[in-house]
Amino acid sequence: MATTENELTAEVIASFNRTTDPRLKEIMQSLVKHIHSFAKEVRLSDEEWMFAIEFLTATGKMCSDVRQEFILLSDTLGLSSLVDLINHAKGDERATEPTILGPFHVQNSPVLKYGDSIIQRTLDIGEPALVRGRVVDVNGKPIAGALLDVWQTDANGLYDIQESTEVSGNLRGIFHSRDDGGYAFQTIRPVPYPIPDDGPVGKMLRLVNRHPWRAAHIHAIVSAPGYRSVTTHIFDEDSKYLDSDTVFGVKGSLIKKFLPQSDGTLLLEYDFVLVQE
Ligand code: BEZ
Ligand code: FE
């Protein structure tokens, strides 16, 4: 029977000794070790422990088919980006860097052709932009038939699935690269937007004086047979919040400039570089 804090920690760790799955045993024992050491380090009070329980309970209650508050919590604590770094550590410096998926990806976006627009609404806001480039391997060789799944918010900072009135599939599209690896689509310049902050995670951000904003970005998942697929963003170089993205998703290599064209529209060029499997 434990009489000291450290004896208690050791006893709880030992209680997992008979776990037959070695990975589960490793994770549970490490979790106990770190969560105990956290509580000991901050000298967690009864009230603070209860506050945390109530916070996690509220986080769970906020979750639904269309809202995953625990993932938002993981995102804002930098855990999602950390797991991304652990599992997709820089292999080939030439390859497109990954970043987090986020909660607004949907399956079955409209399948579109080279140069098509992903705008599917009549709202007349936003700066028109052409996004184009190639999908290539690390030696610059074009990858034909690569699949590009792209999505972004509208100029009001909302994804189609956050708006009951919006056309589904607005500002989403699936493209296939041409024989020369080329892809292109018409869109609007993305804008910074706040992550959903009407729940416990938003409350947490306000309590600690953090803002809920993400830097302006376009999401992309790019895949091709024989290559490792990449889940990533392209960030607007002129966006606010590049150095304080609330979910820690920005990587320098993913920041690109929207260049003004003579016809008043914008052009963003970006090549996706995939690594062979
Ligand atoms: C997003 O970029 O869509 C996103 C990522 C994390 C939390 C909320 C939104
Ligand atoms: Fe996003």
Side-chain angles (χ1 to χ4, degrees):
M1 214 181 354
T3 52
T4 67
E5 291 173 8
N6 287 344
E7 280 172 8
L8 175 69
T9 301
E11 190 179 327
V12 181
I13 290 175
S15 76
F16 290 91
N17 277 346
R18 278 177 289 112
T19 310
T20 45
D21 179 335
R23 179 65 175 157
L24 180 61
K25 179 178 168 187
E26 181 188 4
I27 288 175
M28 293 310 296
Q29 292 190 322
S30 180
L31 175 67
V32 170
K33 181 172 108 187
H34 289 283
I35 210 163
H36 278 227
S37 101
F38 156 73
K40 287 183 261 189
E41 183 181 313
V42 301
R43 308 309 302 163
L44 199 67
S45 71
D46 292 338
E47 295 74 23
E48 289 160 348
W49 175 81
M50 185 46 89
F51 183 92
I53 297 292
E54 283 168 2
F55 175 78
L56 292 174
T57 304
T59 300
K61 285 186 176 164
M62 196 76 195
C63 292
S64 68
D65 286 352
V66 290
R67 175 75 177 257
Q68 231 305 350
E69 194 74 1
F70 275 114
I71 294 185
L72 276 188
L73 180 60
S74 163
D75 294 342
T76 50
L77 295 180
L79 181 62
S80 311
S81 284
L82 180 62
V83 171
D84 187 48
L85 277 175
I86 291 168
N87 292 291
H88 307 277
K90 266 198 185 145
D92 193 312
E93 293 283 325
R94 296 167 294 183
T96 294
E97 284 194 275
T99 190
I100 56 172
L101 174 67
F104 297 116
H105 177 249
V106 301
Q107 302 295 333
N108 306 320
S109 286
V111 179
L112 302 171
K113 293 194 305 296
Y114 182 92
D116 277 353
S117 175
I118 61 172
I119 307 167
Q120 292 210 43
R121 47 82 164 121
T122 47
L123 255 178
D124 192 18
I125 49 170
E127 296 177 67
L130 174 68
V131 178
R132 76 173 178 215
R134 291 186 315 152
V135 183
V136 295
D137 71 10
V138 291
N139 298 311
K141 193 172 125 273
I143 302 175
L147 198 142
L148 298 100
D149 187 343
V150 299
W151 69 104
Q152 67 172 89
T153 65
D154 211 329
N156 59 2
L158 294 172
Y159 287 92
D160 57 352
I161 54 172
Q162 293 177 284
E163 294 198 272
S164 49
T165 54
E166 193 53 271
V167 180
S168 100
N170 181 36
L171 292 159
R172 300 179 185 275
I174 292 178
F175 295 86
H176 292 89
S177 60
R178 301 192 304 190
D179 287 349
D180 63 354
Y183 76 90
F185 58 93
Q186 303 280 350
T187 184
I188 51 163
R189 183 183 212 155
V191 293
Y193 65 88
I195 63 165
D197 67 345
D198 55 343
V201 170
K203 214 184 241 175
M204 181 272 286
L205 292 177
R206 284 186 289 281
L207 265 178
V208 298
N209 275 323
R210 274 179 56 184
H211 70 68
W213 290 85
R214 293 222 60 201
H217 59 272
I218 299 173
H219 291 262
I221 300 175
V222 184
S223 56
Y227 294 86
R228 227 181 294 152
S229 77
V230 66
T231 298
T232 193
H233 301 1
I234 310 172
F235 289 95
D236 179 352
E237 185 181 299
D238 297 319
S239 173
K240 268 182 90 171
Y241 309 113
L242 284 171
D243 54 6
S244 66
D245 184 47
T246 199
V247 297
F248 308 96
V250 180
K251 293 182 180 172
S253 68
L254 304 177
I255 301 173
K256 294 286 155 206
K257 191 155 184 75
F258 280 86
L259 296 167
Q261 303 298 289
S262 51
D263 62 358
T265 64
L266 295 164
L267 172 66
L268 180 132
E269 291 189 293
Y270 187 77
D271 288 347
F272 292 98
V273 184
L274 302 186
V275 184
Q276 239 162 344
E277 261 173 346

